[in-house]
Amino acid sequence: MAKRIQFSATGGPDVLEYVDFTPADPGEHEVQVENRAIGINYIDTYVRSGLYPPATFPSGLGTEAAGVVTKVGGGVSHLKPGDRVVYAQAGLGAYSDVHNVPADKAAPLPQGISFEVAAASFLKGLTVYYLLRQTHEVQPGEVFLFHAAAGGVGLIACQWAKALGAKLIGTVSSDEKAERAKQAGAWAVINSQREDIAARVAELTQGEKVGVVFDSVGQATWLDSLNSLKRRGLMVSFGNASGPVTGVDLGILNQKGSLFVTRPSLNGYVTNYEELLSASQELFAMLAGGVIQVEVPESQKFPLSEAKRAHELLQSRRTQGSSLLIPGR
């Protein structure tokens, strides 16, 4: 028997249940992973709430964790029992002691990177990789806007941008988060609770505005983001923390300067095992070299049984950086 988090109806954190289950053997082209650390991502709240509802109930939750391979299914030759791995977007069910995942979603984890660092940074780090390196290849000296700069993705973006020699303007919701983003490498920070985002961007850029905005907040920052872009700028909408952007009149893109908009996701950029290895190796090199540092406060490490409390804190905007579930704690 093992333990996992499941839910039988969409809703708030209260729908999450901590239950016993019997893990099945891995199927063809799958591996079974004994999770040592589980990443908590904002997208997990979208699944739980019904914004991205699961296909069936009861459903597991979570798609990211790091651990040790315990069994391999048929057709798997690149992994074996005992291998350290980290995976993301490998199917719901990572909030569990044990999880069967597609073998081509599990990346070999170097010995120098801990399970906790891996689970705290893999999905978020790969997200920053595709945003800054592929969706729009950020250049040295380039000034750009990145919302939620003190979140798990944002703090990695601050560090990655600094390593690229770029100037990240980050939005945050408190002075404490502003200081955290600056320490991580943000060139400038805007407190969205008391500053006009677009006006402050214009001030920081001497009226030029920015060529690209990376926005994971969604509905609440949509117009601020468009108003921060220079002519023919690119709006990258990659999340819905405040709710989805809906009912968009494309004419607004013309009115605000012939703007471009894209709605990317990791699945659109990492589509096979070779692309996963390439992306993960670049991320691991940044982590191993100390260019990107990921620290999870003890207050944001939760026993698997406390997933409900973890979600409550995440959605209250009282967390900074990454949070983890630790099986067996």
Side-chain angles (χ1 to χ4, degrees):
M1 295 291 286
K3 293 284 191 179
R4 77 167 189 163
I5 296 295
Q6 69 177 36
F7 61 114
S8 299
T10 56
D14 284 343
V15 303
L16 299 181
E17 304 171 297
Y18 182 58
V19 301
D20 293 313
F21 81 109
T22 301
D25 287 334
E28 191 79 4
H29 303 298
E30 286 187 335
V31 294
Q32 186 171 95
V33 181
E34 181 182 282
N35 292 332
R36 302 293 177 82
I38 301 162
I40 301 173
N41 295 285
Y42 212 91
I43 194 171
D44 300 343
T45 70
Y46 300 162
V47 176
R48 187 212 69 224
S49 68
L51 181 61
Y52 300 158
T56 60
F57 289 107
S59 172
L61 188 61
T63 64
E64 175 185 37
V68 176
V69 174
T70 53
K71 296 179 181 179
V72 299
V76 178
S77 58
H78 62 286
L79 293 172
K80 63 184 185 303
D83 284 351
R84 304 171 82 248
V85 295
V86 58
Y87 62 86
Q89 294 197 324
L92 295 176
Y95 285 19
S96 176
D97 291 339
V98 175
H99 189 32
N100 294 340
V101 302
D104 63 358
K105 295 287 189 179
L109 180 63
Q111 287 291 336
I113 299 174
S114 72
F115 293 119
E116 291 191 1
V117 167
S121 65
F122 197 55
L123 180 57
K124 299 172 183 69
L126 293 184
T127 297
V128 174
Y129 166 79
Y130 85 73
L131 290 173
L132 304 192
R133 305 290 287 148
Q134 296 185 310
T135 303
H136 173 83
E137 191 169 356
V138 172
Q139 300 298 312
E142 182 175 3
V143 183
F144 65 94
L145 181 64
F146 201 103
H147 288 289
V153 172
L155 289 175
I156 293 175
C158 288
Q159 296 174 77
W160 208 313
K162 184 177 180 180
L164 293 172
K167 298 178 177 180
L168 181 149
I169 301 172
T171 68
V172 296
S173 59
S174 70
D175 290 340
E176 182 184 4
K177 290 184 176 182
E179 187 58 34
R180 184 82 184 274
K182 287 179 183 177
Q183 290 173 353
W187 175 69
V189 180
I190 299 170
N191 186 331
S192 61
Q193 298 302 300
R194 64 164 188 264
E195 295 181 278
D196 182 296
I197 293 172
R200 183 67 177 132
V201 167
E203 181 182 354
L204 288 165
T205 58
Q206 290 76 53
E208 288 190 12
K209 302 186 180 181
V210 295
V212 60
V213 175
F214 297 97
D215 190 338
S216 63
V217 177
Q219 187 180 74
T221 51
W222 170 250
L223 286 178
D224 287 323
S225 294
L226 296 184
N227 289 333
S228 298
L229 285 165
K230 63 177 66 173
R231 184 167 57 97
R232 298 202 302 270
L234 173 63
M235 167 65 172
V236 182
S237 176
F238 70 101
N240 312 287
S242 67
V245 177
T246 59
V248 176
D249 179 356
L250 292 179
I252 197 172
L253 305 179
N254 173 39
Q255 296 163 16
K256 294 185 179 297
S258 297
L259 304 178
F260 295 85
V261 176
T262 184
R263 181 61 173 87
S265 69
L266 181 59
N267 282 336
Y269 286 87
V270 177
T271 63
N272 56 51
Y273 192 62
E274 289 71 27
E275 290 176 349
L276 176 66
L277 287 180
S278 178
S280 62
Q281 285 167 3
E282 184 163 344
L283 172 62
F284 293 154
M286 302 283 267
L287 290 167
V291 176
I292 292 176
Q293 297 182 2
V294 177
E295 298 178 2
V296 181
E298 286 299 319
S299 62
Q300 290 177 210
K301 297 178 185 178
F302 304 89
L304 180 59
S305 60
E306 294 185 12
K308 172 187 169 183
R309 185 165 69 92
H311 273 224
E312 289 171 344
L313 286 174
L314 180 65
Q315 292 191 270
S316 73
R317 304 184 75 177
R318 286 181 288 173
T319 62
Q320 294 182 33
S322 301
S323 298
L324 295 173
L325 296 172
I326 309 296
R329 192 170 186 180

